Each structure stands twice: as C-alpha cells, then as structure tokens.
C-alpha cells in the first residue's frame, strides 16, 4: 500500500492570514483570536501534487484519504513512513471498535428516487447516510481526525510533557457521544460541558465512558450558550478543544471532509455530478467540510463544478441566515469574485456585526441544530455566495413531516436533526430555488436514539 509523499501542507487563519508558529504542537486556534475578528485555522495543501484516490477501494476513509490529512503530512515531514501511519490508523480504529462496537468505514451514498418524488423532484436525489457511523452520527469523523493528529504528535515527541492532555467539548448529544468514544479509544480524559436538559441516557453513556461531566445552567440576562462559555474557560486552563467547532479547533473540519470525499468518489463512479447539496447547520462544521471537499475536487479536476450549497436552520434559532443576509446585502447583484472576497474579508474583521448569540433560548425537535452561534459561519456563508446557494429556515411542522417521510421512505432510523436537510429541500422546491430536474444530495447525519 502506498500514497504520495508529503506535499506542502500547513495551517493558516482564514480570517487574518496568520500562520501558527512552526514549533507549536497544537495549532488549533489562531493566536489573534479575541481581537473582534473571525479567526478559524484552515488546513491548506498543495493540491497540484496530490491525486484523488478514486480507484482506491480501502474502506477506512482515514487511510484512503490520508494524503489529504494534516496529521499525515506532519507525520511524513518528521520521518514517519507511510506504512507506519497506516498502522497507526488501524490501531486507533481497532480501539474505536473496542469502545463502540464498530470502526470507521465508508458510509452509504445512494440515490433514493422515491423520496425525491415525494418532494417534487424528478431528477436524482442522493442521500449520504451517517446513522451507521461510529457513535451514530457524522461527528466522530471530525473528532477522529483530531485524535490522529494528537497521536502523531505524541509518537513523534513534538509536545514534550504535554503530549497526552485532557480534552474538552461542549455538547448535549451526538458530538458529546462521538467525542467520548474517540477520546476513550485514545485513552484521553474528556471534560464534557452539557446543558441542564441533556438526555439522561446520553449523560449515563458519557459517564460510563469515563467522561468528566459538567452541567451548565443558563443564567438570566447572560446571552449565549453556557456550555460553550464553560468550554472556553476550560481551554484557558489547559484543556485542548476536542470539539466540532472550527473556531476552537480548525483541524475538526478536515475529518469531516472525508464524508465529502466519499460523496465525490460515489458521484464520479456513477458518472454524474450534483446541482445542489442541502446541509443542516448547527455550528457549521459539516457544511464547511462538505463545501471544502467539493471545492478541492473541482481544483483537482475530479468534478466539473461544485454544487450549489444550501443550508437549513430551524425557527428556533437561525444565526447563520441572519449573517448571510447581512453579508449578501453588501454584495451587489452581478458583482465579480473580487468584490465578494473583499466583502468576506471585511466581515472577517468585524465578526460581531454579522454573528452574535441568539437572543432567546433556542428550542426545536431538531435540537442538534440549536447552537446559539454558527461558529464556522464565514466559510459557510462564503460557500453559499460563491456557489449560488442560499439558507432556509424551516418550521417545527416541516421538520416533523420530513423526518416521518425520511424514516418511512428509506427505512433509515434518522432523527429530526439528521433529516432536517429534507425539510430544507422541500422548502427550496416550493420556492422554486431548486429545479424539479435537479440532481440533489442530502446528508442523514444522526441516528434516532
């Protein structure tokens, strides 16, 4: 088994352009964060020297797509052989399977014409099913990429005495469970910050996996998510962010990109391409990752174009749509890409003018979408504007109807958060924003528990 040698790779802040110090073992957040700007570190690769592994039939995405992982390039740059990196992935994956009963493998991506017909779509409707993923959602993909990086740093001795740190996450559901499984596989202690109304069954599982669970009540007249505030306090005292929020850990995005790469590979194999992809959004990491994967596929010449990216939020909280509307109002119709880049740069420097905590406590049956802020908002807004997509806000009734249709028509045990993209597709079809003949993809992202 072989892969390309390490290409030029690194991290850069998408907001200010800062590059982490080469000696920093944990380049997760920008050193300029806190100045009022939007700072998210991004993995950058020299795609001109990489090849998309279309013919590779390896089922483990972290092996098949390893040449697109920052952890792989760090390992190779410090002398780790390709075979040794593959062995590391297999060892950690076996530990994940020991904890969760399953390891990482390609998840199903297939056309579901019966579902498309029910929402007025005569073209193809493809569904990426993440309900059978580790811990029952897409979240573990983001977090296993982080664990791989931590293990590489530890094996290479790049972090000295801090090589096996405590980890921390703020979540009430799928992200917390995924983090608990992956952290246990790596034998890291994980601090989990949860709201007072977290599901008791999830809390029990977190405790059984050895997590340190912190319950965080909301305080009157204090805006924002109290679990996220508690997470930031833990990070300030030395814990590392083991979270799906790109603003706290930029490397969380690339693990999620493996989902997008699998979608690309499936489309190429079927000899087709997408017109639209509809992604439900809470913190924004999944939408950011999918958009990045498709953009890279276009750069690599694997796909002729990126699909239009549409996003879905609930009436309970829609900070992303609010930010999109504010940015889009500054982009004149028909303006060129240079003007769009300038607007996005300005938005990055004035984050609070576009993204701030939702003013009231958000509630929805799709509780996985209720982040008070869309942490990776700027990348997602930029992707929507560049591809011609748009955000939609859907009602609780629409979420319930979509979930019922998704479960009945596919037999997939997806929860209302995970099927929210279908509610968004229905809304977009009613508006005429998606053509009836379009080829569209959705992601079913979480299992019903």
């Amino acid at each position: 088994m072989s892969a390309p040698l390490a290409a030029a790779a690194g991290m850069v802040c998408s907001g200010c352009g800062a590059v982490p110090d080469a000696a920093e073992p944990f380049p997760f957040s920008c050193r300029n964060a806190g100045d009022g700007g939007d700072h998210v570190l991004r993995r950058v690769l020299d795609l001109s020297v990489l090849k998309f592994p279309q013919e590779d039939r390896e089922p483990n995405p972290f092996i098949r797509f390893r040449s697109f992982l920052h952890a792989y390039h760090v390992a190779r740059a410090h002398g780790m052989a390709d075979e040794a990196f593959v062995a590391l992935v297999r060892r950690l994956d076996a530990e994940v399977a020991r904890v969760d009963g399953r390891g990482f493998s390609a998840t199903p991506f297939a056309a579901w014409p019966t579902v498309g017909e029910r929402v007025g779509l005569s073209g193809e409707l493809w569904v990426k099913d993440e309900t059978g993923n580790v811990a029952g959602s897409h979240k573990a993909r983001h977090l296993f990429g982080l664990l791989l990086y931590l293990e590489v740093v530890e094996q290479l001795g790049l972090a000295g005495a801090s090589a096996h740190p405590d980890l921390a996450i703020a979540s009430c559901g799928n992200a917390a469970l995924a983090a608990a499984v992956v952290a246990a596989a790596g034998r890291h202690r994980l601090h989990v910050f949860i709201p007072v109304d977290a599901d008791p069954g999830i809390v029990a599982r977190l405790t059984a996996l050895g997590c340190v669970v912190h319950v965080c009540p909301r305080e009157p007249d204090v805006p924002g998510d109290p679990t996220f505030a508690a997470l930031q306090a833990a990070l300030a005292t030395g814990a590392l962010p083991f979270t799906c929020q790109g603003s706290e850990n930029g490397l969380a995005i690339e693990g999620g990109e493996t989902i997008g790469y699998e979608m690309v590979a499936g489309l190429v194999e079927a000899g087709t391409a997408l017109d639209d992809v509809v992604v439900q959004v809470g913190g924004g990491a999944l939408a950011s990752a999918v958009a990045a994967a498709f953009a890279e596929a276009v750069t690599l010449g694997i796909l002729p174009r990126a699909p239009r990216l549409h996003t879905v939020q609930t009436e309970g909280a829609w900070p992303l749509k609010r930010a999109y509307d504010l940015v889009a109002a500054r982009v004149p119709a028909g303006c060129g890409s240079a003007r769009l880049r300038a607007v996005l740069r300005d938005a990055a420097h004035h984050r609070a003018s576009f993204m701030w905590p939702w003013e009231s406590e958000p509630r929805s049956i799709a509780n996985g979408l209720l982040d008070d802020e869309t942490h990776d908002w700027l990348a997602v807004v930029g992707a929507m504007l560049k591809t011609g997509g748009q955000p939609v806000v859907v009602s609780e009734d629409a979420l319930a109807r979509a979930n019922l249709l998704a479960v009945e028509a596919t037999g997939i045990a997806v929860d209302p958060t995970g099927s929210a993209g279908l509610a968004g597709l229905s809304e977009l079809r009613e508006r005429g924003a998606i053509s009836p003949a379009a080829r569209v993809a959705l992601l079913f992202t979480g299992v019903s528990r």
Side-chain angles (χ1 to χ4, degrees), residues 287-308:
S288 176
V290 169
F294 275 97
E296 289 171 4
V298 173
T299 301
L300 288 164
I302 302 302
L303 291 178
R305 65 186 184 279
R308 289 182 290 270

Side-chain angles (χ1 to χ4, degrees), residues 226-309:
T227 68
F228 187 66
L231 167 66
Q232 291 178 310
L235 302 183
T237 59
L240 290 185
F242 203 61
T243 169
C244 296
Q245 289 127 346
S247 55
E248 300 304 314
N249 195 327
L251 279 180
I253 304 303
E254 68 168 11
E257 282 194 58
T258 61
I259 297 170
Y261 297 148
E262 288 177 359
M263 295 171 73
V264 168
L267 293 166
V268 172
E269 186 170 347
T272 190
L274 295 175
D275 298 304
D276 303 88
V277 60
V278 185
V279 185
Q280 51 271 25
V281 169
L286 179 63
S288 176
V290 169
F294 275 97
E296 289 171 4
V298 173
T299 301
L300 288 164
I302 302 302
L303 291 178
R305 65 186 184 279
R308 289 182 290 270
L309 174 69

Side-chain angles (χ1 to χ4, degrees), residues 351-444:
R351 185 183 194 278
S353 297
F354 301 89
M355 178 56 61
W356 61 91
W358 202 245
E359 288 78 3
S360 58
E361 183 176 357
R363 297 185 182 279
S364 174
I365 59 170
N367 58 9
L369 306 184
L370 294 182
D371 295 62
D372 290 68
E373 298 182 52
T374 305
H375 302 283
D376 215 31
W377 69 279
L378 192 58
V380 180
V381 167
M384 284 190 283
L385 289 169
K386 290 171 186 174
T387 62
Q390 60 183 271
V392 295
V393 174
V394 294
S395 68
E396 294 298 292
D397 284 345
L399 289 167
R401 289 195 302 272
N403 185 247
L404 182 62
L405 170 59
V407 174
E408 286 185 345
T410 68
I412 298 171
V414 63
D415 67 9
T417 295
S419 61
L422 182 57
L425 172 58
S426 297
E427 175 69 21
L428 290 162
R429 280 287 307 114
E430 289 177 9
R431 293 183 186 183
I434 289 182
S435 163
R439 289 164 293 187
V440 184
L442 305 176
L443 296 95
F444 286 0

